[in-house]
Amino acid sequence: MKHRNTSRGASLLLIIFSIAFLLIAGRFLYIQTTGSVQGVDLEKWAEKKRTSSYTLPSERGEIYGKNGMVLAYDRPTYRLQAIVDPSYSENLPEPKHVTSPEEVGEVVSGYLNLEKEEVVKRIKEAKKSGKFQVEFGSKGRDIAKDDKEVIEEALKEKSVSGVTFAEETERYYPNGTFASHVLGFAKSTDEGVEGVTGVEKSMEKYLEGEDGKISYKRDKYGTELLNPEEVLHPPEDGEDVYLTIDQKIQTFLEDALTEVEEEYEPNKIMAGVMDPDTGEILAMGNRPAYDPNDRSNVENWYNDMIAYPFEVGSTMKMFTWAAAMEEGVYDGSEKFKSGAYSVDGSTISDHNRTGWGSISYDEGLIRSSNVAAAKLGYEKLGPDRFEKYISKFNLNAKTGIDLPGEKTGTILNDRPIETVTTAYGQGSTMTPMQLLTAATAIANDGKMMQPYVFDSIREANSSDKITENESSALGKPISEETAQKMRKLLRKVVSDEKGTGKPFALEDFKVAGKTGTANISEGGYLSGRNNYTFSFLGMAPADDPELVMYVAVRQPQLENSEVGSDAVSHVFKTVMQNSLHYLNISPEQKEKSKVKMMDIPDLQGASVAKAKNALSGFKEVTVIGEGTRVEAVLPESEKDVVSSEHIFVITGQPEMPDMEGWSQREAQRLTDYFDISLEMKGNGYIKEQSIEEGSDLTKVKQVEVQLEPPEEE
């Protein structure tokens, strides 16, 4: 009986074993035939396990200014890591994981803002939970390359193992707040660095690169095989973007804005400088500004020059007068009664409430009469023709500047009182960029230019141009004759004894422009002497403008002895005067009849004595150096040079001269020749210099000069 049961058990086991064998054999046969398990292709799976693949990151294109100064670029930063898994060191002669958390904590805490106890705790907790590696949060990120190398050296000296650094890319802006609202910023994402605002966003398709990839066969330890079958797709770096922003002019603007911000504590400042012949934006700035490297406490993200419509005030009168002239309904000598003007049951008044009696329309602009603007806009032009010129000057549409976030305001012209108030700059709203663009028509003999900040796209590392921007006109709202008449009249706004623009006069150049004092509407107009937006829209030299500039200061904190134009004129005069000298625009002569024109002969190689004799007709000749032979004459040999020009004779062993009393243009000419960076503060003529007289000019890299206006006689 027992034997029979044993036989039955053995038979049952044999049957079970046979079934299992058949199942396993069938499974093997299925796998061998199909090459897959649960839908997974085994050949592909094995291929993947034997292959290492890495992304080769591309570099984002750099952003440059007009002068070739780099404004934004990618730089590497590093993230601290500690490998805690002992298996990482298997079959290796030296450990590659952390063997002593205390030693890691001691070294790392000496260089980063990390406590030793915090480092040790993180490492031990990671090891206990079976993690491969651990990181140290924000305190262990964004480590500069120099700091990373110092930490690595310290770890090496103490034979500390297991600490590694992962490289990351950070977008860096070397000049901080410099043109920050123009540049915008880019941030790191899972896909790489991506533009968020400003040029970084608008030029994204050029700046962004395309990552590459490399893959190869390896063994189970990660070692590359002898025949790795390497596949390489190299990365494609982004192209470099060059802007129209001029380093010098932007620096003049940034310095002036900072000075006014610190002294007057305004709610806002907006300013821009434009070339009226081309439409190039040479400088643009706002306050408050922000540092794109540190965006933790930003007061204003928006570029107010293009994105802040507001009631602009009397700068609008510039276009009301131009429209009346162009339509042939303007007679500058015609008289009108100033003071107040009523239309359709509403009354407006001049800024002094009482007016100036019966005055001409020319004097109306010089004094900034609201009544004159109202009569020109509503009576002389009429609502329909007035609106036509608003469109012609593009004041009711975006300018199309190549920056993201541009806005446009609202034009009110349906009711008679709306035509009246819009004619002198209240009620309707516009952006500073709309005003600046419209002013190019007056500065550029009737042709209104398209504003732009993008100059060209160039290949990374070669500077070969891929594409280049071209100047274009938005239209011609007025004739050349009207533009010239307007410049002469706007010149009187600044030069006439009655003119509201007197504070904006420059020492060396004639200015044409219009002031603005705009009410601020916040559910009703604010009251109080500080609660205005003070502005100026001007151009210089007045006869043939090289630059057009707009400045607006909102709610400056004024002392009893100060007026709103003080803050605005400081920005305008500092930037315009310095910029025109920097651009080598010849100062306008006050007494042209006494100007004598002379030629500068070719004196290279001549004796210094002969050169001084040949140049004796010029008002001032300065010899730079101790040599006996002439190496160069500045300005270089040319005809028809004014006799009042300051001439430099360059010889061997050049030494720094005493520049006290020199103009900005003279200093710029000398430093340009010797390739010296010139930093100017203030305006007027040189009072102090950072490099002592007699210093070897060939060794000077930078000189700073302090400028002061001449004392009044």
Side-chain angles (χ1 to χ4, degrees), residues 624-695:
I624 308 294
E626 299 295 325
T628 59
R629 294 287 168 180
V630 176
E631 293 186 359
V633 175
L634 306 178
E636 296 177 349
S637 304
E638 54 183 277
K639 297 181 179 296
D640 296 332
V641 179
V642 294
S643 59
S644 60
E645 187 70 78
H646 186 176
I647 308 298
F648 301 110
V649 176
I650 311 298
T651 74
Q653 303 173 5
E655 296 179 348
M656 173 62 73
D658 179 3
M659 296 191 291
E660 185 174 0
W662 287 19
S663 69
Q664 302 161 36
R665 182 165 170 261
E666 290 167 332
Q668 192 75 59
R669 177 177 290 163
L670 181 66
T671 53
D672 282 349
Y673 178 81
F674 287 100
D675 196 24
I676 297 170
S677 174
L678 176 64
E679 298 296 330
M680 295 180 279
K681 295 183 178 180
N683 59 78
Y685 295 88
I686 295 176
K687 184 69 175 178
E688 297 177 0
Q689 63 192 64
S690 62
I691 303 299
E692 292 184 3
E693 179 184 1
S695 300

Side-chain angles (χ1 to χ4, degrees), residues 169-188:
T169 298
E170 174 188 60
R171 195 62 166 171
Y172 184 62
Y173 304 87
N175 306 294
T177 59
F178 185 93
S180 58
H181 285 100
V182 175
L183 296 175
F185 68 92
K187 68 177 182 180
S188 297

Side-chain angles (χ1 to χ4, degrees), residues 79-100:
R79 185 174 72 250
L80 183 69
Q81 299 173 327
I83 299 171
V84 299
D85 186 355
S87 65
Y88 187 66
S89 301
E90 286 181 6
N91 302 317
L92 297 176
E94 298 289 339
K96 295 295 183 182
H97 69 286
V98 174
T99 58
S100 173

Side-chain angles (χ1 to χ4, degrees), residues 7-217:
S7 298
R8 287 177 181 175
S11 299
L12 182 61
L13 287 173
L14 181 62
I15 292 170
I16 293 172
F17 176 79
S18 298
I19 293 172
F21 176 78
L22 289 173
L23 287 173
I24 294 171
R27 183 64 171 164
F28 276 125
L29 182 62
Y30 172 80
I31 292 171
Q32 186 176 13
T33 303
T34 64
S36 64
V37 175
Q38 295 180 346
V40 178
D41 189 308
L42 292 178
E43 185 175 353
K44 292 181 179 179
W45 178 80
E47 180 77 11
K48 183 177 180 182
K49 294 295 286 184
R50 292 196 303 266
T51 302
S52 283
S53 180
Y54 298 99
T55 296
L56 300 175
S58 61
E59 288 191 10
R60 187 175 178 83
E62 297 181 348
I63 302 176
Y64 291 86
K66 188 182 184 73
N67 317 75
M69 182 177 81
V70 63
L71 304 177
Y73 64 90
D74 284 356
R75 71 171 184 179
T77 61
Y78 297 88
R79 185 174 72 250
L80 183 69
Q81 299 173 327
I83 299 171
V84 299
D85 186 355
S87 65
Y88 187 66
S89 301
E90 286 181 6
N91 302 317
L92 297 176
E94 298 289 339
K96 295 295 183 182
H97 69 286
V98 174
T99 58
S100 173
E102 287 74 14
E103 288 183 348
V104 173
E106 184 177 345
V107 173
V108 169
S109 62
Y111 296 95
L112 300 178
N113 186 27
L114 285 163
E115 297 293 334
K116 176 181 176 180
E117 293 74 15
E118 181 183 356
V119 175
V120 173
K121 181 181 178 182
R122 285 200 181 212
I123 293 174
K124 288 183 176 180
E125 287 179 350
K127 188 174 182 179
K128 185 177 180 180
S129 60
K131 292 183 178 179
F132 175 74
Q133 68 182 28
V134 64
E135 297 182 1
F136 300 92
S138 60
K139 295 178 181 179
R141 299 177 70 99
D142 299 328
I143 302 171
K145 184 178 180 181
D146 291 345
D147 294 335
K148 171 240 185 190
E149 290 175 351
V150 170
I151 297 172
E152 284 181 326
E153 186 64 30
L155 292 166
K156 184 178 179 181
E157 287 180 2
K158 293 183 179 294
S159 300
V160 178
S161 63
V163 177
T164 64
F165 292 88
E167 183 174 319
E168 299 176 316
T169 298
E170 174 188 60
R171 195 62 166 171
Y172 184 62
Y173 304 87
N175 306 294
T177 59
F178 185 93
S180 58
H181 285 100
V182 175
L183 296 175
F185 68 92
K187 68 177 182 180
S188 297
T189 66
D190 293 339
E191 288 75 32
V193 179
E194 181 180 341
V196 180
T197 62
V199 171
E200 291 279 22
K201 180 178 181 179
S202 64
M203 298 295 154
E204 176 70 19
K205 66 178 180 179
Y206 300 110
L207 291 166
E208 67 175 344
E210 185 175 338
D211 291 345
K213 186 178 181 181
I214 184 172
S215 61
Y216 58 87
K217 297 292 191 305

Side-chain angles (χ1 to χ4, degrees), residues 194-258:
E194 181 180 341
V196 180
T197 62
V199 171
E200 291 279 22
K201 180 178 181 179
S202 64
M203 298 295 154
E204 176 70 19
K205 66 178 180 179
Y206 300 110
L207 291 166
E208 67 175 344
E210 185 175 338
D211 291 345
K213 186 178 181 181
I214 184 172
S215 61
Y216 58 87
K217 297 292 191 305
R218 59 173 175 81
D219 61 20
K220 67 177 182 178
Y221 299 108
T223 304
E224 187 174 323
L225 299 178
L226 293 176
N227 182 22
E229 299 181 26
E230 184 176 275
V231 178
L232 173 65
H233 297 285
E236 295 182 13
D237 293 339
E239 281 101 13
D240 293 337
V241 172
Y242 282 72
L243 306 181
T244 61
I245 297 296
D246 188 292
Q247 172 194 347
K248 285 287 187 183
I249 298 176
Q250 183 71 35
T251 299
F252 296 147
L253 181 62
E254 296 287 356
D255 290 346
L257 293 180
T258 298

